[in-house]
Amino acid sequence: MIKKYAVSNHSQVGAHFDDKASISFNMDLLKHIGKVVFPYGLIAPSMMIFLIFMIYPILYMIYLSFQKWNMLSDKVFIGVQNYDKLFVDPDFYQVMITTVKFMVGTVSVSVVLALLLALYLNQNTAINRFLQGVIFAPYIVSLVSIAFIFMWMMDSDLGLLNYILNLLHLPTVRWLEDPKVAIYALVLVNIWKGVGYYTIIFISAFQSIPPYLYEAAKLDKSNRYRTFFKITLPMISPTLFFITLTGIIGGLKVFETINIMTMGSNNTNTLVYSLYQYGFSFHKIGYASAIGVVLMVIIGTVTFFYFNTLSKRVHYR
């Protein structure tokens, strides 16, 4: 009897330990699954928003580029006819040239001017802090307001710029009416709005450079130019890389300035504004989508080559 009880008690204890081991194993498994799934759960809302508002519109635009559709009738699949028409259209190549002119003019002048202003305003003084705020102010002002102000200033008859030229006995300029001048006038507007933003970023980059590098340069009796090109420029190269890349992409996608000030007239039509015209004025959604796809490929190609050619020259600390 005692022997049977001992055997029964032993089996109960073994079963109890088996249950505890099973529960412990299940808990460990749940914790492991939680560690794996939890990060994906955190990024799931952002990924859903990204897929809905970024990936899906891109895929739908590519789909529409193979269709003939005016938003009223049914879509008709026409293959690559939109692309065939696009690549034989001389106006398309003129629009591309105008877009590149705008981008190159805006980025090159803005970056160089912002770098010079940042070098001048780098000192932490009261007057410099005030000037930094003044330079940055146009960036936070609505582009609509800026466009209307410059439209008045650049008016051929009553504009402030031509009034100043008259006072100086210089020939007036048809800022927004002359096809040879209009695109550069728009470049001037974009430079005035964005240069303050770039300046503040450059100043922040300058202030993050370790002071001991400049102290070592002084001990080596390095002059200003050598110090700038050997220390300052390499140390701010990530910032310069970022500003230039975002400026290139922004220049290729310019729309608001064109739409408000010239509406694409006088040789100022750009790729995005041309896309807008074909899509919402001429109701050629398929053709407009083809322009959008080409613009996407251009931006992707430029970004790819920019990263592959210049990222190796960026100095990361």
Side-chain angles (χ1 to χ4, degrees), residues 131 133 140 173 203 212 230 277 299 308 312:
L131 292 176
I140 62 176
V173 179
I203 291 173
Y212 66 82
K230 294 297 183 180
Q277 280 185 314
I299 292 176
N308 278 272
K312 297 176 183 178

Side-chain angles (χ1 to χ4, degrees), residues 217-236:
K218 286 182 180 179
L219 292 175
D220 290 338
K221 297 181 180 180
S222 179
N223 58 40
R224 289 185 178 182
Y225 298 103
R226 184 176 177 82
T227 301
F228 175 77
F229 286 105
K230 294 297 183 180
I231 296 178
T232 305
L233 198 58
M235 295 301 290
I236 67 166

Side-chain angles (χ1 to χ4, degrees), residues 37-250:
V37 174
F38 185 66
Y40 293 100
L42 291 177
I43 66 172
S46 299
M47 291 302 298
M48 289 296 296
I49 293 173
F50 179 75
L51 290 172
I52 293 171
F53 294 102
M54 294 292 293
I55 301 301
Y56 173 73
I58 290 173
L59 296 177
Y60 192 62
M61 178 182 67
I62 296 172
Y63 164 75
L64 288 177
S65 69
F66 299 104
Q67 309 290 324
K68 182 179 181 181
W69 186 43
N70 61 3
M71 293 193 294
L72 297 176
S73 60
D74 294 334
K75 302 182 187 71
V76 178
F77 179 78
I78 58 173
V80 295
Q81 289 184 25
N82 287 322
Y83 294 98
D84 290 338
K85 293 178 182 178
L86 186 65
F87 291 127
V88 298
D89 185 1
D91 291 338
F92 171 70
Y93 293 101
Q94 180 59 47
V95 166
M96 284 189 63
I97 292 172
T98 303
T99 305
V100 172
K101 281 183 181 178
F102 184 91
M103 181 269 292
V104 172
T106 301
V107 174
S108 58
V109 177
S110 294
V111 171
V112 173
L113 185 58
L115 190 57
L116 295 175
L117 288 171
L119 288 170
Y120 179 73
L121 299 175
N122 190 28
Q123 298 298 323
N124 189 20
T125 62
I127 184 64
N128 280 1
R129 288 194 295 271
F130 171 75
L131 292 176
Q132 289 171 18
V134 171
I135 291 174
F136 185 73
Y139 182 74
I140 62 176
V141 177
S142 168
L143 184 58
V144 176
S145 303
I146 292 174
F148 278 113
I149 291 172
F150 271 93
M151 286 175 68
W152 164 70
M153 292 176 62
M154 294 177 175
D155 186 87
S156 299
D157 301 318
L158 304 174
L160 177 63
L161 297 180
N162 278 346
Y163 175 75
I164 295 173
L165 291 175
N166 279 323
L167 290 178
L168 298 174
H169 302 288
L170 296 173
T172 58
V173 179
R174 298 170 64 242
W175 298 96
L176 299 177
E177 293 83 8
D178 188 347
K180 296 180 180 179
V181 178
I183 189 65
Y184 301 107
L186 299 179
V187 167
L188 177 64
V189 175
N190 260 43
I191 291 171
W192 187 81
K193 177 174 173 58
V195 71
Y197 170 71
Y198 295 152
T199 302
I200 297 301
I201 293 180
F202 275 132
I203 291 173
S204 176
F206 288 151
Q207 293 177 353
S208 66
I209 299 175
Y212 66 82
L213 295 176
Y214 293 112
E215 293 171 3
K218 286 182 180 179
L219 292 175
D220 290 338
K221 297 181 180 180
S222 179
N223 58 40
R224 289 185 178 182
Y225 298 103
R226 184 176 177 82
T227 301
F228 175 77
F229 286 105
K230 294 297 183 180
I231 296 178
T232 305
L233 198 58
M235 295 301 290
I236 67 166
S237 56
T239 303
L240 183 61
F241 181 84
F242 164 77
I243 286 177
T244 305
L245 180 60
T246 55
I248 290 172
I249 295 173

Side-chain angles (χ1 to χ4, degrees), residues 232-288:
T232 305
L233 198 58
M235 295 301 290
I236 67 166
S237 56
T239 303
L240 183 61
F241 181 84
F242 164 77
I243 286 177
T244 305
L245 180 60
T246 55
I248 290 172
I249 295 173
L252 292 173
K253 298 193 302 180
V254 62
F255 172 76
E256 296 92 339
T257 311
I258 310 296
N259 185 41
I260 296 170
M261 297 188 68
T262 63
M263 298 183 68
S265 61
N266 301 320
N267 204 20
T268 60
N269 198 359
T270 58
L271 281 172
V272 175
Y273 190 77
S274 180
L275 185 157
Y276 166 78
Q277 280 185 314
Y278 279 105
F280 297 99
S281 297
F282 308 145
H283 303 292
K284 296 181 178 180
I285 304 301
Y287 193 79

